Amino acid sequence: MSKKRKVFIVIAVVLTLLNALLIAAAVRLSPTVEAMARAQAEREAARIINESVLQLVERDGLDYSALVVEKRSADGRIVSLQCDMDKVNRFKSELTELIADRLDSIDAESISVPLGNALGSFITSGRGPDIPVRIVSVGSVVSTLDNDFAAVGINQTRHRILLSVGLTFTLAFPGGSGEVAVEDTVCIAETIIAGEIPERYAVF
């Protein structure tokens, strides 16, 4: 057997063993990778939701008076609260589009996991070269609005308009995949109502 052939065989064996080691490491890392991927997806989702809501609210100058019309009686009591559904539906549509666009920025998000974690030892945990992990995030966006009334003082009620946004991710990582559902609720407007809660109020 020639020297070149021996070298070729040695290289082939080393590459085969290295590939087997990487596969074994990926399988062992799967729970760790999944946990890290889920945590990162949840952080990114919360950040995107909050920043997107703030961006649209500031851009459009939205506040309670812009979304809700108060109707009062002759003595000044609030008798009804009516939501401006055109503004609400436009806000939800634009928010959904904005969040979906920003989700594209994390479609190929990558993290790294120390190879030592694959060995399952406290001594090697967090050590060794980093293994890059690709996270593919494909999410749907669903938003809903709701009312929240709470007593805040004598004959006073706080009315908040709450926006709930749900994102669904499919995450792919070495050794497996998983789905993550994230929901975050943000208050987009609020006011204090003096007197009794109106019998008729905006329902989203």
Side-chain angles (χ1 to χ4, degrees):
M1 182 180 298
S2 66
K3 183 176 181 181
K4 289 185 178 180
R5 184 173 178 81
K6 289 182 179 180
V7 171
F8 176 79
I9 293 176
V10 170
I11 293 175
V13 171
V14 170
L15 291 177
T16 301
L17 292 176
L18 180 60
N19 185 59
L21 177 62
L22 291 176
I23 293 175
V27 172
R28 176 168 293 202
L29 276 172
S30 182
T32 301
V33 171
E34 181 173 6
M36 294 180 68
R38 286 178 179 274
Q40 181 161 327
E42 291 171 0
R43 289 195 301 271
E44 287 296 307
R47 180 183 64 82
I48 286 175
I49 290 172
N50 282 275
E51 289 182 355
S52 298
V53 170
L54 181 61
Q55 178 180 333
L56 290 185
V57 168
E58 290 184 344
R59 187 200 69 183
D60 298 338
L62 290 181
D63 57 13
Y64 188 87
S65 61
L67 296 175
V68 179
V69 177
E70 299 177 349
K71 291 186 177 181
R72 297 178 179 270
S73 63
D75 60 2
R77 291 185 303 107
I78 298 177
V79 295
S80 72
L81 299 172
Q82 181 63 47
C83 173
D84 187 332
M85 291 306 300
D86 288 338
K87 286 185 179 179
V88 167
N89 289 332
R90 184 167 59 251
F91 177 82
K92 290 172 61 178
S93 176
E94 291 180 352
L95 178 66
T96 298
E97 183 177 353
L98 178 60
I99 291 176
D101 289 342
R102 297 189 66 172
L103 282 174
D104 291 339
S105 67
I106 62 169
D107 274 352
E109 193 75 20
S110 63
I111 60 175
S112 59
V113 180
L115 180 60
N117 288 4
L119 303 178
S121 170
F122 174 77
I123 297 176
T124 60
S125 179
R127 300 178 182 277
D130 288 338
I131 299 177
V133 180
R134 304 291 292 178
I135 304 175
V136 179
S137 304
V138 181
S140 60
V141 184
V142 178
S143 61
T144 58
L145 282 168
D146 200 3
N147 298 282
D148 176 64
F149 291 94
V152 293
I154 299 176
N155 208 29
Q156 289 186 327
T157 302
R158 181 183 63 195
H159 178 208
R160 298 193 302 165
I161 301 175
L162 302 177
L163 173 71
S164 295
V165 181
L167 307 178
T168 303
F169 293 90
T170 300
L171 304 175
F173 46 85
S177 63
E179 292 186 354
V180 180
V182 180
E183 184 172 339
D184 198 12
T185 301
V186 182
C187 176
I188 62 172
E190 66 176 274
T191 193
I192 300 297
I193 300 173
E196 298 179 355
I197 298 176
E199 294 183 0
R200 293 189 298 132
Y201 57 83
V203 177
F204 303 104

